């Protein structure tokens, strides 16, 4: 199992799915994320005397600049922090404007929540979360931690290949779909010459730099009670939005207790709802009742898919803002309930339905410092650049997280003003015997908990090192019996899954299967070993 494998075999890691990378080893510190410049920014802060939290904030802020296709200042953030041998959870998601309602959205001509425009925009939570993390755990001033991001925003940086691909794709989608003057600032900001920047072309945003400076100098006060909030609300009033200053002044990040299940001796940690981390935990709770000896076996994939389907059926029925949930977490994670769900898995692909438990665009990063502190952090605007709205003179691309709200008032995740929506972004963390093994995460909307399950089983059941665990071919369930697999997925197993009733299709789009990062730490020696995503411009910076 992983514990003996990591602790006693640090000098021997095999990779049965080589993609040209090996796992990375270091001792003094490590930052793993999807953009090399952001990873180096985090490492720079570590070398200046910052800790894992400082490095995480620096990396997250830098990612808003060097990967705006996935996240931004106008998005949300969730984090799990391991600090001084204690675990903490932070929910940095924002609420729907108080002035919005199902009736108003329908009056605007929508039968379901749209993806673009003001209706899906919720209060950005990321800047407040940076401030909250820094004040509680940071060693360096926030102003110093945000310096790398400010510099890249002001001086610019050249686009890497994967970043340029998704930037170009978003531009053509937005050019076709975004109609109206209120979308003009997006094109002015991200396609300043009437076209998206290309590979190797330098892009900069002075507006973005000034906004980051205001956040740094005021510890995010300007964003929620000052100049930036006023600009966002004024833009909303001018163009049909729903925000008031009160929506921003009342925003707060929430410290929460992470939730877990024990899987084969390891405690797997996720954050509680409104996030969907409970999907991964429910699936693992079901899967631990089976024994898996061979990764590339139809039984392994079939049971993984079926467990994910059952977990999602519950989550999409019951999970929302915790203040609105009518089913308890204990009921959803109950061992007897897991056994009931496990019995539903046969040799044939099922059409999932929710059970009846007992009453009661995204970036991911992992950091570790030389003192054993670690952070698992995920940040997103959702669906690429988000809503398509950029606040003039700020560089802020607003998220469209509210797209997941339902317009059916009977649904658990029904839209209500001031409510947090079902949230797809989830950080993960692994411990054993109350000692940190480390942070892990896989980006990608509803792929995230599916990626968590696959990466963890690759690690725990099949003893793959972090890089191999990430590189292994993935699958993704969509609905009913519909499953998509990567083009590297074993063809013979795909055919066997089809015989069991799974509707299998092959995708050549790597981003469909998430983008992950892992850092494991040897509790005995302090040695760090990391893996980074081969499906994007992933990078590990370490020393």
């Amino acid at each position: 199992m992983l514990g003996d494998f990591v602790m006693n075999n640090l000098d021997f890691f095999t990779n049965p799915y080589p993609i040209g990378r090996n796992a990375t080893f270091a001792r003094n510190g490590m930052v793993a994320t999807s953009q090399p410049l952001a990873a180096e920014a985090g490492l720079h802060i570590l070398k200046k005397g910052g800790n894992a939290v400082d490095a995480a904030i620096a990396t997250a802020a830098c990612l808003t600049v060097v990967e705006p296709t996935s996240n931004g200042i106008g998005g949300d953030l969730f984090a799990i922090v391991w600090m001084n041998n204690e675990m903490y959870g932070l929910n940095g998601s924002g609420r729907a404007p108080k002035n919005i309602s199902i009736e108003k959205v329908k009056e605007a001509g929508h039968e379901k929540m749209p993806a673009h425009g003001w209706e899906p925009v919720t209060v950005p939570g990321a800047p407040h979360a940076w401030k909250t993390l820094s004040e509680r755990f940071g060693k360096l001033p926030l102003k110093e931690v945000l310096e790398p991001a400010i510099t890249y925003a002001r001086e610019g940086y050249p686009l890497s290949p994967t970043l340029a691909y998704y930037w170009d794709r978003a531009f053509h989608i937005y050019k076709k779909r975004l109609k109206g003057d209120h979308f003009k600032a997006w094109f002015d900001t991200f396609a300043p010459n009437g076209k998206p920047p290309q590979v190797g072309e330098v892009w900069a945003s002075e507006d973005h730099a000034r906004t980051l400076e205001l956040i740094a100098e005021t510890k995010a006060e300007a964003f929620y009670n000052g100049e930036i909030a006023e600009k966002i609300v004024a833009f909303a009033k001018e163009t049909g939005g729903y925000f008031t200053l009160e929506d921003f002044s009342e925003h707060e990040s929430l410290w929460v207790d992470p939730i877990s299940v024990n899987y084969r001796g390891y405690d797997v940690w996720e954050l509680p709802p409104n996030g969907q981390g409970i999907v991964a935990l429910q699936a693992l709770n079901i899967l631990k009742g089976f024994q898996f000896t061979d990764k590339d076996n139809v039984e392994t994939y079939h049971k993984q898919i079926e467990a994910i389907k059952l977990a999602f059926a519950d989550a999409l029925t019951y999970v929302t803002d915790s203040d609105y949930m009518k089913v308890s977490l204990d009921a959803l994670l109950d061992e007897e309930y897991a056994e009931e769900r496990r019995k539903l898995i046969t040799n044939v692909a099922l059409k999932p339905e929710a059970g009846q438990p007992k009453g009661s665009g995204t970036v991911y990063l992992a950091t570790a410092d030389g003192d054993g502190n670690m952070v698992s952090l995920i940040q997103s605007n959702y669906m690429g650049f988000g809503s398509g709205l950029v606040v003039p003179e700020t560089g802020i691309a607003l998220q469209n997280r509210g797209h997941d709200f339902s317009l059916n008032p009977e649904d658990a995740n029904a839209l209500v003003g001031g409510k947090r929506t079902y949230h797809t972004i989830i950080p993960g963390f692994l411990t054993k015997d109350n000692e940190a093994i480390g942070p892990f995460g896989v980006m990608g909307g509803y792929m995230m908990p599916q990626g968590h399950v696959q990466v963890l089983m690759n690690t725990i059941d099949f003893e793959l090192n972090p890089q191999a665990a990430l590189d292994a071919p993935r699958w993704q369930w969509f609905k009913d019996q519909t499953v998509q697999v990567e083009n590297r997925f074993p063809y013979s197993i795909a055919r066997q899954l089809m015989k069991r009733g799974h509707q299998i299709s092959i995708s050549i789009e790597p981003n469909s299967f998430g983008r992950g990062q892992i850092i494991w730490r040897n509790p005995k020696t302090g040695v760090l070993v990391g893996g980074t995503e081969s499906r994007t411009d992933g990078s590990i910076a370490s020393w």
Side-chain angles (χ1 to χ4, degrees):
M1 293 299 177
L2 172 65
D4 294 336
F5 190 65
V6 169
M7 296 179 194
N8 300 328
N9 295 285
L10 280 168
D11 59 343
F12 182 68
F13 280 89
T14 59
N15 188 343
Y17 300 99
I19 306 288
R21 283 195 180 117
N22 292 315
T24 301
F25 291 81
R27 182 153 188 191
N28 296 315
M30 184 174 287
V31 180
T33 194
S34 50
Q35 276 291 321
L37 297 177
E40 289 296 333
L43 182 63
H44 171 71
I45 292 300
L46 284 175
K47 289 184 174 181
K48 290 189 72 173
N51 60 19
V53 168
D54 294 314
I57 299 167
T59 305
C62 199
L63 282 165
T64 70
V65 181
V66 302
E67 196 177 331
T69 53
S70 304
N71 78 124
I73 300 172
D76 282 345
L77 179 158
F78 290 79
I80 297 176
V81 177
W82 182 269
M83 178 65 63
N84 299 323
N85 296 315
E86 296 287 340
M87 182 180 289
Y88 305 85
L90 185 69
N91 180 331
S93 64
R95 300 177 185 273
K98 287 186 176 181
N99 280 342
I100 202 169
S101 67
I102 290 175
E103 292 74 20
K104 287 182 179 180
V105 174
K106 288 187 174 181
E107 287 172 4
H110 305 289
E111 291 303 314
K112 62 179 182 179
M113 285 295 286
H116 303 115
W118 280 109
E119 283 73 21
V121 179
T122 52
V123 176
H128 195 280
W130 299 343
K131 183 263 298 194
T132 302
L133 288 167
S134 178
E135 288 183 343
R136 184 164 187 178
F137 295 119
K139 292 175 64 177
L140 302 179
L142 185 62
K143 188 174 182 179
E144 186 173 357
V145 170
L146 296 190
E147 278 182 3
I150 295 168
T151 299
Y152 279 123
R154 176 160 287 134
E155 298 180 3
Y157 63 93
L159 269 69
S160 53
T162 303
L163 174 64
Y165 170 78
Y166 288 109
W167 203 314
D168 183 80
R169 189 176 75 166
F171 170 80
H172 286 94
I173 291 172
Y174 282 11
K175 188 175 182 180
K176 181 179 179 180
R177 297 180 183 175
L178 303 187
K179 306 298 181 183
D181 291 342
H182 52 306
F183 293 116
K184 181 177 182 297
W186 187 92
F187 293 96
D188 291 343
T189 302
F190 296 110
N193 299 313
K195 62 180 182 64
Q198 304 299 303
V199 177
E201 187 175 339
V202 174
W203 178 83
S205 173
E206 177 61 27
D207 289 342
H208 198 130
R210 286 199 302 269
T211 295
L212 285 170
E213 283 180 331
L214 276 171
I215 292 170
E217 291 167 359
T218 68
K219 296 182 179 178
E221 188 69 12
F223 197 98
Y224 297 95
N225 291 285
E227 178 182 335
I228 301 173
E230 291 168 359
K231 286 184 176 180
I232 297 173
V233 172
F235 180 48
K237 289 182 177 179
E238 292 169 4
T239 57
Y242 302 86
F243 281 135
T244 66
L245 288 173
E246 188 179 8
D247 291 317
F248 286 82
S249 64
E250 293 185 355
H251 173 80
E252 60 179 352
S253 302
L254 301 178
W255 290 106
V256 297
D257 294 326
I259 56 176
S260 69
V261 298
N262 188 274
Y263 184 77
R264 310 203 194 285
Y266 298 86
D267 291 313
V268 180
W269 297 89
E270 304 275 357
L271 294 185
N274 54 316
Q276 64 174 345
I278 195 167
V279 174
L281 297 185
Q282 277 194 272
L284 290 170
N285 232 14
I286 294 169
L287 288 164
K288 70 184 183 184
F290 302 112
Q291 293 299 316
F292 301 97
T293 57
D294 184 6
K295 177 183 176 352
D296 289 329
N297 183 293
V298 67
E299 285 293 335
T300 297
Y301 289 107
H302 174 71
K303 287 182 170 64
Q304 286 179 334
I305 294 167
E306 297 300 280
I308 278 290
K309 288 157 70 171
L310 291 167
F312 261 120
D314 279 349
L316 295 175
T317 301
Y318 301 120
V319 170
T320 185
D321 185 328
S322 58
D323 290 340
Y324 292 79
M325 282 185 62
K326 296 179 180 179
V327 174
S328 74
L329 301 182
D330 288 342
L332 290 169
L333 297 177
D334 180 73
E335 294 285 349
E336 291 184 7
Y337 182 60
E339 176 62 23
E340 290 178 20
R341 303 296 270 167
R342 190 179 301 124
K343 289 176 180 177
L344 297 176
I345 297 178
T346 67
N347 288 331
V348 179
L350 58 81
K351 183 176 180 179
E353 295 181 356
Q356 294 183 339
K358 296 176 183 178
S360 49
T362 303
V363 292
Y364 174 78
L365 65 95
T367 63
D369 62 33
D371 295 323
N373 305 310
M374 310 175 90
V375 177
S376 180
L377 187 151
I378 195 159
Q379 183 173 272
S380 176
N381 269 13
Y382 202 33
M383 301 174 72
F385 282 93
S387 65
L389 295 168
V390 169
V391 183
E393 301 178 355
T394 68
I396 299 171
L398 295 169
Q399 65 184 345
N400 57 346
R401 184 55 59 180
H403 175 68
D404 280 341
F405 275 123
S406 168
L407 298 186
N408 180 351
E410 301 301 317
D411 289 346
N413 198 44
L415 173 65
V416 175
K419 182 179 180 180
R420 285 181 163 97
T421 184
Y422 177 108
H423 223 295
T424 60
I425 63 174
I426 52 174
F429 205 93
L430 192 66
T431 65
K432 182 176 175 61
D433 300 328
N434 297 317
E435 291 190 287
I437 300 298
F440 68 92
V442 178
M443 301 169 273
Y446 292 93
M447 176 65 198
M448 292 189 204
Q450 304 186 58
H452 281 205
V453 168
Q454 292 175 64
V455 164
L456 282 174
M457 288 187 66
N458 288 346
T459 302
I460 297 171
D461 289 282
F462 309 119
E463 297 188 342
L464 300 187
N465 74 71
Q467 191 60 56
L470 290 168
D471 287 344
R474 295 182 192 144
W475 52 266
Q476 180 177 189
W477 172 76
F478 285 90
K479 64 177 182 178
D480 299 334
Q481 287 87 16
T482 303
V483 179
Q484 199 170 77
V485 300
E486 288 190 283
N487 59 351
R488 297 184 294 113
F489 191 88
Y491 180 71
S492 62
I493 293 177
R495 286 184 60 84
Q496 292 177 66
L497 288 171
M498 291 174 70
K499 291 179 180 179
R500 296 194 178 201
H502 298 281
Q503 298 171 8
I504 304 292
S505 64
I506 299 173
S507 173
I508 61 172
E509 176 56 71
N511 201 44
S512 296
F513 300 93
R515 299 176 295 164
Q517 313 292 333
I518 297 173
I519 297 176
W520 301 142
R521 182 177 185 273
N522 183 325
K524 293 182 179 179
T525 66
V527 170
L528 303 167
V529 55
T532 187
E533 187 58 68
S534 57
R535 296 166 182 83
T536 187
D537 303 313
S539 176
I540 292 180
S542 58
W543 66 308

